[in-house]
Amino acid sequence: MKKSALLLALLICVLTGRSQETKGLAPLIQNVYGRDHQVLNGYWHYLIDPLETGYWDYRHKPMADGFFKDKKVDNVKEFKEYDFDSAPVMPIPGDWNTQNSELFNYEGTLWFKHTFNFEPSDKRVFLYFGAANYDAKVFVNGKMAGEHEGGYTPFNFDVTKLLQKGENFVIVKVDDKRRADGVPTNNFDWFNYGGITRDVMLVELPALYIQDYTIQLKKGSGSLITCSIKLNETQAQQKVTLEIPELKIKREVVTNDKGEAQFEFKSNLVLWSPENPKLYAVTLSTLTDKVVDQIGFRTIETRGNEILLNGKPIFLKGISVHEEAAFRNGRIFSAEEDRTLLTWAKELGCNFVRLAHYPHNEQMVREAEKMGIMVWSEIPVYWTIHWEDPNVYANALNQLSEMITRDKNRANLIVWSIANETPQGDSRDAFLSKLATYARSKDSTRLISMAMERSDKSATTLSVRDNMSKYVDIISFNEYVGWYDGANEKIDRVKWEIDYNKPIIISEFGGEGVFGNHGDVTTRWTENYQADLYTKMLKMIDERMPKVSGITPWVLKDFRSSRRLLPNVQDGFNRKGVVSDKGQKKMAFYVLQKWYLQK
Ligand code: GCU
C-alpha cells in the first residue's frame, strides 16, 4: 500500500476508530493521588469465567442481564446460576496468576465484585483504575460505567449518576486473553499477568474542577516556568491560583472561554538532577478545587550526539526493568516493591531506567523521581502490531495519551518511547510516525525514542538504519551480539557504523546466566558467560562506540516469560537479569557496576 494511501487509512482510523467517549471513559484526571479519594482496594469476590458465560448468551450476543447485574433472587424459585457473595475473594490490586495457583497459567475472564458504602454530596465522583490487564468492562450497581482496552495505563469513569446512598457495588469483567490485534499483540516476551493490577479508587471532585495541568520549565530555559491548566468545563473568567511556597511564588490567572489558562513566570529555582532530585510543593486552586503536587524542574535536550540535562552533557547509566516484584515475581502495585527494584538500580550505579515494555505504575515513576533516577517510559507497541488496523492505531494512541497525561509532570521522565523491535515497513512507519508526531504535540519538551533493530552492513559491520530515525530525538536500538548473534568472542570482532547526528542509546544487550551456575566463559547459561559478555560489550562501547550516550542493558531482574521453557535452566523465566528472580546479584551485576562507577 502506498504511503499516501496508508496515511489516509490511518487518518480514517483516527476518525472511525472506537473513540474513548464511546467507551464511557472520562478525561483522565491529573494526579488523582493528590485529590480527595476513597481507596477501594481490598478483598474482592471473583468468579472464573473462561467461556464468558456472564456476558454472552448462547448465541454469543451480549446479555442484558449478565453477571454484572448480580441479581438478587430467591434461588429455589427463580433461575440464577452464579453468585458473587458466596464466591472466593482475592486481594485487589494484584494479578490473579500469583494469588491463586489454579489461575497461574489462566488466560481469560474473571469477574470481580466489591461492595462499598457511599455518602452522596454535591461532588462529582469518578471511579479510577491504575490499570487492569487487558480489557476491562466496569459496572456500578448493575449499570455499565464504561470499558477500557490496554493493560498498563490508568482510566476513569464518571459514576456520579450511578451511585446511591449507602451500599453500592462495582463489578468488573477483566479479560486478559492475548489478541493478535492487541497492543501488545498475542506474542511478547513477558508474563501475561491478568487482573486488576493497580489501585482502584473513588475520586470526589467539585462540579467545576482542575482536570489537567502541566507545570514545567519552558523548553530551553533554566528559569522560565510555564503552566497550562484545564478545567473540566469550558468556563471563562474562573480564577486559578498557583503557589510554590518555597519559591515565594503566587500567581493568579483567569481561564479563557475554553476553561483554560496558560501563563509563565521567571523563578530562581534549584534544578532537579540525579545528584539533587529537588522537588517543590506546588498547589493549584480555584474557588472550588485544590490539588497539591510535588514538582521538579529541569531541562532535557540533545546537541548532536549528546544528551543535555540542565544544559550539561550526561551519560545515561541505565538498566531495563520489567514491572515484576522482587522475590515474589508478580505484577508490582506498591511503592515499596518499586523501591526494591530502584534500589538495586542505584546500587548498580544507575541514573536512568528503561521501564519496559509498557508504562509502569505511577509510584514507580514518582519513587524514581525522589531517588534521582531518570526514566524512559514506553507503550507496548511491541513486535508484530497490526499496523493497518484502525482500531489498533486508536488503541495505541489512547495508551500513549494516557501515559503522557499521567506522567508529564514528572521531572525525571525524559524519554517517551513509542515502540520496541518493530519490523520496518511503510505501514509501520506511517503508524509510528503519527504516534511520534502526536507525542510531540502532547509534550514538546521531552525526548521521543523507540527501540529499533539493527540493519547491518555485513556480518561484522553492524549498523542501524531505520526510516523512523527522522522522527525520533534519540536513536535507540537493541543488539544481542554474543547471545542470539554468535558467541561472546564475536563481540571483539564487530565494528559499528551508525551515521546519525543524534544521541545513540543501546536500549538492550545481554545474555542469560543462571545464578549459581558457574563454568568457563564459553559455557552458555553460566554466570561466567553472562559476565564475560558484559565485559566484552562494555569494552566494545569504550573502544569502538564513542558516540553512545547511554545504555540500558537487558535486564535488571530475571523475569517470568511463557516463551522461556528450557527445563532446569529457564523454567519459565528469562534469565538475562543481572539479579536473579530471588534477588541474588550475579557476576554480571558487578561487571556493570564497576563500569558505571568509573563512567
Ligand atoms: C528483545 C525484546 C525483549 C526480550 C529480549 C530477550 O530485545 O525487546 O522484550 O525479552 O529481546 O530476548 O531476552
Side-chain angles (χ1 to χ4, degrees):
M1 188 188 270
K2 280 181 54 202
K3 198 164 171 60
S4 54
L6 265 175
L7 285 172
L8 178 62
L10 278 175
L11 183 64
I12 292 165
C13 88
V14 176
L15 300 174
T16 58
R18 287 197 63 199
S19 74
Q20 301 324 317
E21 291 68 42
T22 59
K23 294 188 169 187
L25 292 164
L28 206 51
I29 301 163
Q30 179 62 231
N31 185 16
V32 288
Y33 290 91
R35 313 292 188 136
D36 289 339
H37 61 267
Q38 176 183 341
V39 176
L40 297 185
N41 298 349
Y43 283 87
W44 292 35
H45 290 284
Y46 68 91
L47 293 172
I48 305 168
D49 185 8
L51 297 175
E52 299 183 305
T53 307
Y55 190 76
W56 308 103
D57 66 16
Y58 78 122
R59 295 289 189 237
H60 209 258
K61 297 271 186 294
M63 290 189 291
D65 59 348
F67 285 7
F68 46 86
K69 286 291 186 195
D70 193 25
K71 276 189 311 187
K72 291 303 167 214
V73 297
D74 173 340
N75 242 2
V76 292
K77 294 193 176 62
E78 291 177 76
F79 173 73
K80 177 182 165 188
E81 54 184 350
Y82 70 92
D83 184 82
F84 280 103
D85 298 339
S86 59
V89 294
M90 78 166 68
I92 297 299
D95 63 80
W96 61 59
N97 312 80
T98 57
Q99 300 202 81
N100 176 330
S101 56
E102 72 176 271
L103 293 173
F104 184 73
N105 277 311
Y106 177 81
E107 291 187 311
T109 284
L110 251 69
W111 294 87
F112 294 93
K113 178 192 173 185
H114 187 64
T115 304
F116 58 95
N117 284 316
F118 178 69
E119 194 55 45
S121 67
D122 60 352
K123 300 246 176 145
R124 293 179 68 161
V125 190
F126 293 83
L127 179 55
Y128 171 91
F129 291 79
N133 185 45
Y134 171 82
D135 178 277
K137 291 176 177 32
V138 178
F139 305 84
V140 173
N141 296 329
K143 294 191 182 69
M144 183 155 215
E147 57 188 310
H148 180 268
E149 182 177 355
Y152 306 96
T153 48
F155 53 97
N156 47 226
F157 307 106
D158 186 340
V159 295
T160 312
K161 296 189 176 71
L162 299 179
L163 293 173
Q164 61 198 12
K165 182 176 176 53
E167 191 173 277
N168 294 262
F169 67 93
V170 55
I171 288 181
V172 186
K173 176 186 180 293
V174 180
D175 174 11
D176 82 330
K177 282 192 298 294
R178 289 164 293 111
R179 308 162 183 203
D181 64 350
V183 179
T185 69
N186 51 356
N187 181 27
F188 47 83
D189 189 27
W190 66 85
F191 194 84
N192 185 34
Y193 292 108
I196 302 174
T197 51
R198 296 178 189 159
D199 288 338
V200 185
M201 54 177 91
L202 284 179
V203 184
E204 298 194 55
L205 295 168
L208 184 65
Y209 63 89
I210 300 166
Q211 174 187 301
D212 191 32
Y213 57 86
T214 307
I215 302 172
Q216 57 191 11
L217 279 174
K218 194 174 178 74
K219 191 174 175 71
S221 167
S223 58
L224 189 59
I225 295 176
T226 175
C227 300
S228 66
I229 292 151
K230 177 178 175 48
L231 303 182
N232 64 307
E233 304 286 354
T234 55
Q235 290 207 12
Q237 298 306 313
Q238 298 298 312
K239 189 173 85 168
V240 183
T241 304
L242 173 125
E243 294 174 271
I244 310 179
E246 192 179 339
L247 295 174
K248 296 183 177 46
I249 283 173
K250 182 170 183 176
R251 288 287 185 285
E252 292 182 352
V253 293
V254 290
T255 55
N256 60 25
D257 55 5
K258 290 183 192 157
E260 297 175 359
Q262 281 83 24
F263 59 104
E264 53 192 46
F265 52 90
K266 278 246 179 227
S267 175
N268 186 19
L269 40 69
V270 174
L271 297 181
W272 184 95
S273 70
E275 297 72 28
N276 181 12
K278 174 69 181 169
L279 299 177
Y280 290 93
V282 176
T283 302
L284 275 176
S285 52
T286 63
L287 207 55
T288 56
D289 193 15
K290 179 177 178 181
V291 55
V292 180
D293 208 339
Q294 294 289 318
I295 304 267
F297 299 94
R298 55 96 189 99
T299 63
I300 190 76
E301 298 154 293
T302 65
R303 183 178 62 201
N305 295 125
E306 294 178 317
I307 295 172
L308 307 179
L309 176 72
N310 299 329
K312 297 194 191 78
I314 188 165
F315 186 90
L316 300 180
K317 300 186 279 188
I319 191 78
S320 292
V321 184
H322 262 302
E323 191 193 34
E324 189 179 76
F327 312 110
R328 69 177 179 87
N329 300 304
R331 189 61 74 215
I332 288 181
F333 53 81
S334 74
E336 184 191 359
E337 291 184 317
D338 292 326
R339 279 194 298 272
T340 300
L341 298 185
L342 293 168
T343 302
W344 288 344
K346 286 289 267 190
E347 285 176 30
L348 261 180
C350 294
N351 61 12
F352 183 57
V353 287
R354 175 185 179 211
L355 300 185
H357 285 292
Y358 38 77
H360 290 206
N361 65 86
E362 180 172 347
Q363 305 314 324
M364 183 67 155
V365 182
R366 284 181 178 271
E367 291 303 316
E369 187 177 46
K370 291 179 215 165
M371 295 168 73
I373 299 175
M374 292 173 283
V375 162
W376 156 312
S377 192
E378 182 167 296
I379 52 171
V381 174
Y382 182 97
W383 289 357
T384 51
I385 294 286
H386 286 193
W387 308 110
E388 295 169 22
D389 182 329
N391 290 318
V392 172
Y393 179 77
N395 182 0
L397 189 70
N398 184 56
Q399 292 188 45
L400 178 61
S401 173
E402 289 169 342
M403 172 175 77
I404 294 176
T405 300
R406 189 193 78 181
D407 292 339
K408 64 185 177 180
N409 287 310
R410 306 280 68 81
N412 62 324
L413 208 148
I414 60 169
V415 177
W416 301 123
S417 169
I418 56 173
N420 179 72
E421 290 194 350
T422 52
Q424 299 205 39
D426 288 347
S427 58
R428 168 265 206 176
D429 293 355
F431 187 106
L432 292 184
S433 56
K434 283 177 70 69
L435 287 184
T437 305
Y438 175 80
R440 227 178 276 288
S441 73
K442 282 272 285 184
D443 177 6
S444 64
T445 66
R446 286 179 176 82
L447 304 177
I448 308 290
S449 192
M450 56 185 272
M452 298 171 180
E453 294 184 297
R454 287 162 34 192
S455 320
D456 300 338
K457 296 181 177 176
S458 76
T460 54
T461 303
L462 312 184
S463 185
V464 177
R465 290 170 289 180
D466 192 312
N467 292 337
M468 283 301 297
S469 56
K470 54 181 170 294
Y471 293 99
V472 298
D473 299 301
I474 299 175
I475 305 292
S476 305
F477 66 97
N478 301 346
E479 60 90 0
Y480 282 94
V481 182
W483 187 254
Y484 298 119
D485 174 8
N488 283 347
E489 60 75 31
K490 179 171 182 178
I491 299 171
D492 293 335
R493 291 190 287 114
V494 300
K495 66 185 174 97
W496 293 86
E497 289 181 8
I498 303 175
D499 312 319
Y500 293 112
N501 185 30
K502 291 185 175 180
I504 294 167
I505 288 180
I506 305 179
S507 36
E508 287 182 34
F509 69 75
E512 301 201 33
V514 178
F515 178 80
N517 179 23
H518 292 283
D520 69 41
V521 293
T522 62
T523 303
R524 283 178 185 263
W525 310 104
T526 61
E527 283 196 55
N528 311 71
Y529 186 100
Q530 186 191 37
D532 183 55
L533 183 148
Y534 270 74
T535 302
K536 289 179 163 64
M537 202 64 82
L538 299 172
K539 181 169 177 284
M540 175 190 77
I541 293 166
D542 279 339
E543 294 174 355
R544 286 168 278 151
M545 301 185 85
K547 289 184 185 176
V548 167
S549 299
I551 62 172
T552 49
W554 193 257
V555 66
L556 178 64
K557 179 187 82 72
D558 290 355
F559 61 92
R560 278 209 177 93
S561 168
S562 307
R563 292 172 61 88
R564 306 295 172 172
L565 309 175
L566 186 57
N568 309 314
V569 175
Q570 294 176 316
D571 296 325
F573 280 88
N574 181 313
R575 299 288 183 193
K576 294 188 183 71
V578 294
V579 181
S580 80
D581 59 293
K582 296 184 177 61
Q584 303 146 314
K585 296 183 177 80
K586 302 177 193 176
M587 291 165 69
F589 181 99
Y590 300 104
V591 171
L592 184 58
Q593 181 189 57
K594 182 169 177 245
W595 194 76
Y596 278 158
L597 291 176
Q598 54 80 28
K599 199 64 187 157

